[in-house]
């Protein structure tokens, strides 16, 4: 049976191959290991294998893991939807947030960020494929939101994040990812100084890297298939 270290190696090999295809240095794409539904022991296994950046979707579950692994220098990224009543937990426990899609959430994160911590690193989630059920700001509103978020004192705006609907093939995946890259470039042309474009998962990281992703969020290819508790099943 293959273990987490072996799967992590395989993901690094995929990232390197995709970067090679795109004539990009492999150092231009960071790997975020998505550990939702997996325990602190799995995170620790991946950490021992060299992985230091982890993404979590469910705030309560994440806070338990973060507390249990306090002894390890892990960078924690919040990649799940954030309700207003959860912003304090996020502000107190995470290093990054990828899922800011309205100013109110950003304002609360800035106000609630503890003074002894560095600024929260923030990406704005963009709904690039116009899917009506998805969170994320519309592409037309991204610049205004980015400009407002960039002014908040305890946040540092780093970039954009997107989660497109699964597409039929590589070309279709690239079409949507390139729209996100175009928006990222447009915001930088407007002077925002972004360095992070968070897109690509286990199934589509090659298309994301071909389209200009700088951070891929990979879960099942590292940790295996997820088993959701009934209460949090996305299909329920
Ligand atoms: C679960 C999740 C991932 C990882 O998905 P895999 O297909 O397991 O790689 C990435 N991004 C977000 C926002 C997720 O919720």
């Amino acid at each position: 049976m293959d273990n987490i270290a072996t799967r992590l190696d395989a993901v690094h090999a995929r990232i390197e191959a995709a970067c090679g295809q795109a004539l990009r240095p492999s150092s231009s794409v960071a790997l975020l290991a998505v550990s939702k539904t997996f325990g602190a022991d799995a995170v620790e296994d991946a950490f021992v294998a060299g992985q230091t950046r982890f993404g979590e979707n469910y705030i309560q579950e994440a806070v338990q893991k973060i507390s249990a692994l306090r002894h390890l220098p892990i960078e924690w990224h919040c990649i799940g939807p954030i309700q207003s009543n959860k912003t304090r937990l996020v502000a107190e426990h995470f290093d990054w947030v990828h899922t800011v899609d309205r100013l109110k959430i950003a304002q609360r994160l800035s106000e609630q960020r503890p003074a002894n911590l560095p600024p929260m690193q923030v990406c704005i989630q963009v709904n690039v494929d116009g899917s009506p059920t998805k969170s994320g700001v519309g592409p037309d509103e991204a610049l205004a939101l980015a400009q407002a978020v960039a002014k908040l004192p305890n946040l540092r705006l780093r970039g954009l994040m997107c989660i497109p609907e699964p597409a039929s093939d590589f070309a279709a995946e690239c079409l949507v990812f390139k729209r996100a890259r175009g928006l990222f470039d447009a915001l930088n042309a407007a002077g925002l100084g972004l360095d992070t474009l968070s897109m690509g998962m286990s199934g589509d990281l090659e298309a994301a890297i071909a389209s200009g992703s700088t951070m891929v969020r990979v879960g099942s290819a590292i940790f295996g298939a997820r088993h959701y508790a009934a209460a949090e099943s996305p299909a329920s």
Side-chain angles (χ1 to χ4, degrees):
M1 224 193 79
D2 54 352
N3 58 24
I4 286 173
T6 310
R7 293 204 205 100
L8 204 46
D9 281 347
V11 170
H12 280 298
R14 282 176 64 189
I15 292 171
E16 263 174 49
C19 284
Q21 283 282 322
L23 306 177
R24 301 178 54 188
S26 41
S27 61
S28 67
V29 179
L31 172 59
L32 180 67
V34 177
S35 43
K36 64 179 179 221
T37 78
F38 293 95
D41 50 341
V43 173
E44 190 151 7
D45 284 352
F47 180 85
V48 168
Q51 179 64 30
T52 55
R53 237 180 241 115
F54 291 85
E56 289 282 341
N57 290 59
Y58 312 107
I59 313 300
Q60 219 76 47
E61 177 199 333
V63 167
Q64 285 180 13
K65 267 179 253 185
I66 293 169
S67 304
L69 295 170
R70 228 169 245 312
H71 56 292
L72 300 178
I74 287 176
E75 188 178 277
W76 291 100
H77 294 232
C78 175
I79 61 169
I82 305 171
Q83 257 86 56
S84 304
N85 62 355
K86 292 283 167 57
T87 51
R88 184 174 298 280
L89 277 177
V90 173
E92 289 176 352
H93 291 92
F94 284 88
D95 304 295
W96 281 66
V97 177
H98 291 221
T99 42
V100 167
D101 63 358
R102 51 208 156 102
L103 187 56
K104 184 185 165 200
I105 295 293
Q107 284 166 334
R108 290 176 67 93
L109 290 171
S110 181
E111 279 160 19
Q112 295 166 346
R113 183 69 169 169
N116 61 320
L117 294 181
M120 177 73 87
Q121 311 296 303
V122 171
C123 292
I124 290 176
Q125 184 177 355
V126 187
N127 183 351
V128 271
D129 53 4
S131 125
T133 57
K134 274 281 176 54
S135 22
V137 68
D140 295 346
E141 304 148 85
L143 176 61
L145 179 57
Q147 286 169 332
V149 169
K151 293 199 183 93
L152 295 171
N154 300 321
L155 307 184
R156 183 157 166 239
L157 181 65
R158 297 294 296 269
L160 302 179
M161 176 270 212
C162 67
I163 319 172
E165 290 294 320
S168 51
D169 59 24
F170 186 83
E173 289 169 357
C174 287
L175 206 66
V176 178
F177 284 140
K178 283 188 174 139
R179 216 178 291 153
R181 179 69 203 205
L183 189 60
F184 176 82
D185 292 340
L187 265 53
N188 274 336
L192 280 161
L194 309 180
D195 63 7
T196 302
L197 182 55
S198 163
M199 61 185 192
M201 318 203 304
S202 294
D204 57 11
L205 69 86
E206 283 82 4
I209 290 171
S211 308
S213 169
T214 73
M215 192 180 290
V216 291
R217 309 177 308 265
V218 179
S220 47
I222 296 171
F223 295 106
R226 283 184 291 274
H227 304 284
Y228 288 91
E232 60 195 22
S233 165
S236 68

